[in-house]
């Protein structure tokens, strides 16, 4: 009997090789293939007569093949095939490059719909490599899937069709009947069929609504389950909330925002209810100090604090910050990361279990089963959007209802934050520490790159340091290749006398750390890097950041990157390089030159890029949604939230048999990989 959990290999035409390709796309079972939703759709339904189409525009033409001209070999590796098509009034030439398969798929005297850019002149019309379908065999709206090498859209579609035919009866609809009626949700089978092979635009929207609703309901149920776990009272109570010793030990005074955030936390510590607080503050606003002050308070009361950072680099940096401040006051700090030797880890784990250490900083190594705390009182997660919501919860489960603090540099609009985080309390740090000069930001074209290099050289000559960040340049080309190549070119040419370090995600953690250490110590002048420097790294002497292909980044990410400089008292600069002529893109990048306010920038980001990208890139630490979009589907989000509340109020643990299916959906959504490690 076929099961939805059957491996994808059970499908005809999926061998070992294709199964591997599917694996890359996160598809391993028949069920995950059915839930491999289209990226977008190509619409062939609005066809026009050839002569009514504007030259140079993408359009859709329905026409009959009346002549086929065989293969023309232009040179080795380049063949052309020409097919002549008529719409009954006028003709057009369709040229296909290198694909005998496509050429042969087009039969004489049959009608097809072609979609592509129409070119030509007053009398002749042509299309190069259009997409086409046979309208007798297909719906007019065709799904377009994310692909990887070794898979074509046609192949994926074929497998999904097969899966629907053979496994479609096994789909289990877990939504309550009453909900389906009241919310006008279609049947599950209809939804799957029409999301992949829409009959028409209406059927597609009905299908999509049903699937979006189900996903958002699942999300809300999962968040509800997580929250209810922390509702109960906690025994972690801090009687002694005097942190003047901590403040006196700092080389600076806390800003008003920092003081307020610390005070919010101290109040929570006395309340008897576990704190669940989000500290939002722009890059460089000094969020780490809030955690440090609260950790100090915990230690005064005999509790441990665990601080989890998303990368090793950041964990090491936090460890240094915490130990520099707290160790002189006789508090013991420990570091626990994945790259430490087994022996080192063992020793640290022992110290955590016996209570020798009061502050424990680490990566996700902290949430492993082998780590247990003597008396965990506070759990801090830095750059929380990098962690999955379940990873945060896992760390908290190591104590008995400890207090929780999450720190985020990705400001999200308040209404959304409330919707997403629900009962999370919010402390906002508005102002940066005194004495900071705003970073001067410029947008330049590649032509001025040489001048920028000159500028960088000049700054380095004055004893400062710089970053150059390159995005992944092209698909297929590895990250390591592009930055390494770039740095070598610099060494050979303009910046031959400068000490350059190269950093990318392919390096081992220890190598990255060593490199960062040398950069922080001033042994390296210029760090050429991919976005691994994006998160939290703090080297105050770095004063210039140049970002190549700036158009490939989102505004919030650019702001994060730029936040790596401007941390000292010297005037810092950020140079965005882009040759993209698109007017909108330039407008978008100009925002960076005009504002240094992270909250404003993220708002603009949301407006300009649209929520799809903003929320697609894991800015919030929630499980990755497959089909719903938290901004576009806000209305559905609200409706589903009401149902989730209703269900949980009757069955807070989703333990009833009637909710078993929903519970499975929740665990599937929340267990999907959410860890991303630079
Ligand atoms: P972020 O909010 O981006 O995590 P950090 O906590 O890394 O910021 O702090 C950025 C820098 O500001 C650090 O070098 C830190 O020592 C410094 N800093 C923090 N608070 C203050 C303050 N009140 N006055 C001056 N410098 C501060
Ligand atoms: Mg930080």
């Amino acid at each position: 009997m076929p099961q939805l959990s059957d491996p994808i290999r059970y499908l005809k035409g999926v061998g070992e090789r294709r199964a591997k390709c599917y694996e890359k796309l996160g598809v391993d079972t028949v069920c995950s293939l059915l839930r491999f939703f289209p990226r977008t759709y190509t619409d062939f339904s609005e066809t026009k007569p050839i002569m009514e189409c504007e030259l140079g525009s993408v359009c859709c033409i329905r026409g009959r093949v009346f002549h086929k001209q065989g293969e023309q070999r232009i040179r080795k590796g380049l063949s052309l095939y020409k097919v002549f098509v008529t719409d009954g009034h006028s003709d057009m030439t369709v040229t296909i490059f290198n694909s005998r398969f496509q050429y042969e798929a087009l039969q004489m005297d049959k009608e097809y719909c072609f979609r592509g850019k129409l070119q030509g002149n007053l009398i002749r019309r042509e299309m190069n490599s259009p997409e086409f379908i046979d309208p007798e065999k297909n719906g007019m709206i065709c799904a377009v899937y994310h692909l990887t090498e070794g898979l074509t859209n046609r192949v994926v579609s074929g497998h999904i069709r097969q899966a629907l035919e053979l496994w479609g009866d096994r789909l289990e609809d877990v939504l309550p009947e009453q909900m389906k009626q009241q919310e006008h949700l279609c049947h599950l089978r209809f939804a799957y069929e029409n999301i992949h092979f829409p009959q028409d635009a209406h059927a597609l929207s009905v299908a999509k609504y049903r699937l979006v609703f189900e996903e958002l309901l699942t999300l809300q149920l999962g968040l509800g389950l997580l929250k209810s776990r922390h509702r109960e009272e906690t025994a972690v109570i801090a009687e002694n909330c005097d942190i003047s010793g901590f403040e006196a030990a700092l080389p600076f005074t806390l800003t008003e925002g920092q003081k307020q955030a610390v005070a919010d936390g101290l109040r929570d510590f006395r309340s008897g209810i576990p704190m669940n607080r989000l500290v939002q503050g722009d890059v460089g606003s000094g969020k780490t100090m809030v955690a440090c002050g609260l950790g100090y308070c915990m230690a005064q009361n005999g509790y441990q604090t665990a601080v989890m950072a998303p990368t090793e680099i950041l964990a090491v940096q936090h460890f240094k910050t915490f130990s520099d401040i707290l160790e002189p006051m006789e508090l013991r700090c420990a570091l626990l990361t994945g790259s430490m030797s087994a022996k080192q880890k063992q020793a640290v784990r022992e110290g955590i279990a016996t209570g020798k250490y009061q502050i424990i900083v680490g990566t996700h190594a902290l949430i492993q089963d082998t780590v247990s705390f003597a008396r965990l009182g506070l759990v801090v997660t830095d750059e929380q959007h990098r962690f999955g919501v379940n990873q945060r919860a896992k760390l908290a489960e190591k104590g008995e209802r400890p207090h929780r603090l999450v720190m985020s540099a990705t400001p999200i609009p308040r209404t959304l934050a409330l919707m997403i985080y629900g009962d999370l309390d919010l402390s906002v740090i508005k102002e940066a520490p005194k004495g900071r000069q705003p970073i001067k930001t410029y947008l330049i074209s590649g032509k001025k790159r040489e001048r920028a290099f000159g500028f960088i050289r000049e700054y380095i000559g004055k004893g400062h340091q710089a970053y150059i960040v390159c995005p992944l340049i092209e698909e297929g080309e590895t990250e390591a290749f592009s930055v390494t190549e770039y740095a070598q070119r610099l060494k050979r040419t303009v910046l031959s006398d400068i000490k350059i370090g190269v950093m990318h995600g392919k390096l081992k953690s220890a190598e990255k750390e060593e490199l960062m250490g040398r950069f922080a110590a001033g042994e390296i002048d210029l760090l050429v890097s991919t976005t691994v420097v994006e998160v939290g790294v703090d080297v105050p002497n770095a004063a210039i950041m140049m970002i190549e292909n700036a158009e490939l980044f989102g505004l919030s990410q650019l702001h994060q990157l730029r936040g790596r400089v401007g941390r000292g008292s010297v005037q810092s600069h950020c140079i965005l390089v882009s040759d993209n002529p698109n007017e909108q893109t330039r407008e978008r990048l100009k925002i960076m030159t005009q504002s240094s306010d992270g909250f404003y920038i993220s708002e603009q980001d949301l407006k300009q890029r649209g929520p799809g990208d903003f929320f697609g890139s894991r800015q919030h630490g929630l499980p990755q949604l497959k089909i719903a979009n938290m901004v576009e589907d806000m209305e559905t989000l609200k409706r589903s939230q009401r149902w989730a509340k209703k269900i949980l109020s009757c069955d807070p643990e989703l333990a009833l048999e009637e909710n078993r299916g929903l519970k499975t959906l929740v665990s599937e959504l929340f267990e999907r990989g959410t860890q991303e490690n630079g």
Side-chain angles (χ1 to χ4, degrees):
M1 178 100 86
Q3 299 284 325
L4 284 170
S5 57
D6 287 342
I8 185 147
R9 291 280 300 272
Y10 286 22
L11 288 166
K12 247 185 269 130
V14 182
E16 199 170 321
R17 196 178 55 83
R18 276 189 179 148
K20 281 231 171 74
C21 300
Y22 273 119
E23 208 176 296
K24 281 195 200 138
L25 299 169
V27 173
D28 52 359
T29 60
V30 173
C31 181
S32 59
L33 178 66
L34 289 177
R35 291 218 210 137
F36 184 57
F37 298 124
R39 174 169 64 85
T40 175
Y41 296 85
T42 311
D43 190 350
F44 289 93
S45 62
E46 297 203 352
T47 55
K48 275 196 212 164
I50 294 172
M51 278 310 173
E52 283 179 24
C53 295
E54 197 183 324
L55 281 179
S57 70
V58 173
C59 41
C60 195
I61 284 163
R62 185 167 179 150
R64 183 176 55 83
V65 175
F66 70 90
H67 179 63
K68 289 178 77 173
Q69 193 178 67
E71 176 175 1
Q72 270 176 275
R73 271 179 184 274
I74 302 301
R75 56 181 151 78
K76 201 164 169 256
L78 180 62
S79 294
L80 297 185
Y81 303 86
K82 285 194 192 290
V83 174
F84 298 87
V85 172
T86 173
D87 65 4
H89 299 283
S90 342
D91 305 344
M92 86 175 166
T93 312
V94 166
T95 308
I96 294 169
F97 296 91
N98 280 343
S99 176
R100 172 174 289 276
F101 177 80
Q102 288 206 351
Y103 173 70
E104 284 174 357
L106 289 169
Q107 292 170 22
M108 267 300 274
D109 283 327
K110 277 204 59 162
E111 257 195 358
Y112 298 91
C113 294
F114 299 88
R115 190 171 188 283
K117 197 191 231 179
L118 192 72
Q119 289 166 321
N121 51 37
L122 269 180
I123 43 169
R124 232 165 47 86
R125 294 288 187 271
E126 56 186 15
M127 259 189 200
N128 291 336
S129 326
E131 296 171 73
F132 59 87
I133 55 161
D134 176 348
E136 275 169 26
K137 289 198 191 137
N138 295 276
M140 295 301 226
I141 302 176
C142 293
V144 179
Y145 296 94
H146 276 289
L147 296 173
T148 177
E149 216 181 301
L151 288 174
T152 64
N153 212 55
R154 203 179 290 262
V155 165
V156 174
S157 275
H159 290 151
I160 292 178
R161 199 180 277 280
Q162 204 191 124
L164 276 170
E165 274 162 20
L166 295 173
W167 278 265
D169 292 336
R170 316 287 311 164
L171 289 166
E172 193 195 356
D173 199 335
V174 303
L175 300 189
E177 228 18 77
Q178 197 198 2
M179 181 192 295
K180 279 194 291 197
Q181 276 175 16
Q182 287 186 16
E183 300 293 340
H184 310 291
L185 300 169
C186 67
H187 287 291
L188 191 59
R189 172 131 197 193
F190 180 91
Y192 275 110
E193 276 169 356
N194 281 282
I195 203 77
H196 292 294
F197 304 102
Q199 284 162 12
D200 51 42
H202 178 68
L204 175 59
S205 77
V206 168
K208 191 163 179 216
Y209 177 64
R210 147 83 210 216
L211 295 167
V212 165
F213 193 97
E214 182 175 299
E215 188 167 51
L216 291 174
L217 177 77
T218 309
L219 176 73
Q220 296 292 342
L221 285 172
L223 291 176
L225 285 180
L226 284 171
K227 277 170 199 162
S228 64
R229 279 193 220 163
H230 308 287
R231 276 275 164 209
E232 300 123 289
E233 294 194 349
T234 179
V236 182
I237 294 180
E239 300 290 352
N240 173 7
C241 283
D242 178 8
I243 59 156
S244 50
F246 162 75
E247 286 185 270
L250 295 176
F252 41 70
T253 49
L254 293 178
T255 64
E256 282 311 310
Q258 286 172 317
K259 279 188 195 152
Q260 189 54 51
V262 172
D264 291 342
L266 296 178
R267 202 176 52 239
D268 295 341
F269 288 173
R270 283 189 295 250
S271 70
I273 304 289
M275 169 172 88
N276 198 8
R277 184 169 290 284
L278 173 69
V279 178
Q280 273 203 356
D282 212 341
V283 276
S285 61
K287 294 181 286 291
T288 319
M289 280 310 126
V290 176
C292 198
L294 293 177
Y296 172 86
C297 169
M298 274 292 141
Q300 295 304 303
N301 290 275
Y303 289 105
Q304 290 172 302
T305 296
V307 182
M308 184 158 71
T311 63
E312 295 234 9
I313 295 176
L314 208 54
V316 171
Q317 181 184 296
H318 282 341
F319 171 67
K320 288 203 186 107
T321 307
F322 281 84
S323 18
D324 284 352
I325 296 169
L326 300 177
E327 294 219 314
M329 294 186 277
E330 317 267 294
L331 297 186
R332 280 177 301 274
C333 304
L335 177 69
L336 187 69
T337 66
S339 70
M340 288 164 51
S341 75
K343 213 170 142 190
Q344 284 172 316
K345 275 190 252 185
Q346 183 51 32
V348 172
R349 280 198 296 258
E350 262 173 46
I352 300 173
T354 58
K356 175 180 161 197
Y357 297 117
Q358 283 108 345
I359 308 282
I360 301 97
V361 185
T363 54
H364 56 284
L366 283 177
I367 54 180
Q368 265 144 25
D369 291 336
T370 44
V371 182
S372 68
F373 291 80
R375 221 166 164 242
L376 184 58
L378 170 64
V379 166
V380 180
T381 347
D382 189 20
E383 305 293 341
Q384 55 86 24
H385 62 281
R386 292 290 171 127
F387 290 104
V389 84
N390 49 340
Q391 286 177 307
R392 268 184 273 151
K394 223 167 159 180
L395 184 54
E397 274 157 28
K398 294 200 172 277
E400 292 210 19
R401 292 192 277 283
H403 298 283
R404 308 196 299 164
L405 182 75
V406 293
M407 304 194 284
S408 167
T410 308
I412 41 178
R414 201 182 161 82
T415 45
L416 256 180
L418 289 177
M419 186 62 88
I420 296 168
Y421 298 111
D423 60 352
L424 214 74
D425 294 312
L426 199 57
S427 297
V428 180
I429 304 181
K430 292 227 174 70
E431 83 277 42
K434 285 200 189 68
R436 298 266 173 83
Q437 301 184 44
I439 302 162
K440 287 196 177 144
T441 303
Y442 320 87
L443 176 60
I444 66 168
S445 69
K447 277 193 220 120
K448 296 215 176 124
R449 195 180 274 114
E450 296 298 316
R451 270 176 63 188
F453 289 144
F455 188 62
I456 290 176
R457 174 204 300 283
E458 201 179 299
Y459 251 69
I460 288 175
K462 288 187 203 151
H464 298 296
Q465 289 162 285
Y467 298 96
I468 297 182
V469 175
C470 307
L472 306 184
I473 287 179
E474 259 165 34
E475 244 173 71
E477 203 174 15
T478 67
E479 161 182 42
F481 176 77
S482 53
V483 274
T484 312
E485 179 87 332
Y486 191 99
Q488 269 165 4
R489 216 170 54 216
L490 287 182
K491 275 182 203 165
R492 277 200 308 269
T493 55
V494 280
L495 298 176
S496 54
D497 49 341
I498 276 168
K499 280 169 281 168
I500 301 178
V502 183
M503 175 121 113
H504 51 76
K506 300 266 151 39
L507 293 180
K508 292 204 188 73
S509 292
E511 292 171 316
K512 277 190 259 179
E513 209 177 291
E514 197 228 46
L515 209 72
M516 234 21 247
R518 282 170 47 209
F519 187 62
E523 290 165 30
I524 292 171
D525 302 315
L526 170 65
L527 197 60
V528 179
S529 175
T530 59
T531 51
V532 289
V533 291
E534 177 195 351
V535 178
V537 172
D538 189 32
V539 178
N541 191 41
I544 296 186
M545 162 140 314
M546 175 160 153
I547 302 173
E548 289 282 354
N549 291 91
E551 74 279 0
L552 297 180
F553 296 95
L555 289 184
S556 296
Q557 200 182 7
L558 287 174
H559 183 65
Q560 279 280 326
L561 282 168
R562 176 170 68 175
R564 299 308 114 223
V565 298
R567 298 184 152 242
S569 51
V570 63
Q571 176 64 57
S572 291
H573 303 267
C574 174
I575 306 164
L576 305 174
V577 189
S578 174
D579 284 322
N580 192 311
N582 183 300
E583 195 53 39
Q584 247 180 326
T585 306
R586 301 199 76 77
E587 283 305 311
R588 190 167 72 84
L589 291 174
K590 269 197 202 132
I591 292 175
M592 293 300 297
T593 64
Q594 291 154 0
S595 173
S596 56
D597 176 349
F599 286 85
Y600 173 77
I601 287 171
S602 89
E603 231 176 80
Q604 296 303 312
D605 203 11
L606 202 57
K607 272 196 201 144
Q608 301 220 351
R609 275 199 304 167
D613 284 336
F614 190 81
F615 286 100
S617 53
R618 302 185 180 189
Q619 300 277 0
H620 43 59
L622 292 176
Q624 208 167 18
L625 299 176
K626 289 206 157 179
I627 190 161
N629 177 304
M630 247 152 338
V631 172
E632 278 168 16
D633 301 319
M634 191 66 149
E635 265 315 301
T636 316
L637 183 70
K638 284 183 193 155
R639 300 184 81 87
S640 68
Q641 193 175 41
R642 281 201 288 275
W643 280 97
K645 283 202 174 124
K646 197 164 148 191
I647 294 170
L648 288 174
S649 69
C650 305
D651 182 12
E653 304 271 316
L654 292 187
L656 296 179
E657 178 55 26
E658 67 195 59
N659 292 328
R660 191 181 45 84
L662 288 174
K663 190 160 189 172
T664 312
L665 284 184
V666 170
S667 30
E668 276 169 13
L669 180 65
F670 279 75
E671 272 155 31
R672 241 184 347 238
T674 30
Q675 174 60 25
E676 204 178 351
N677 215 343

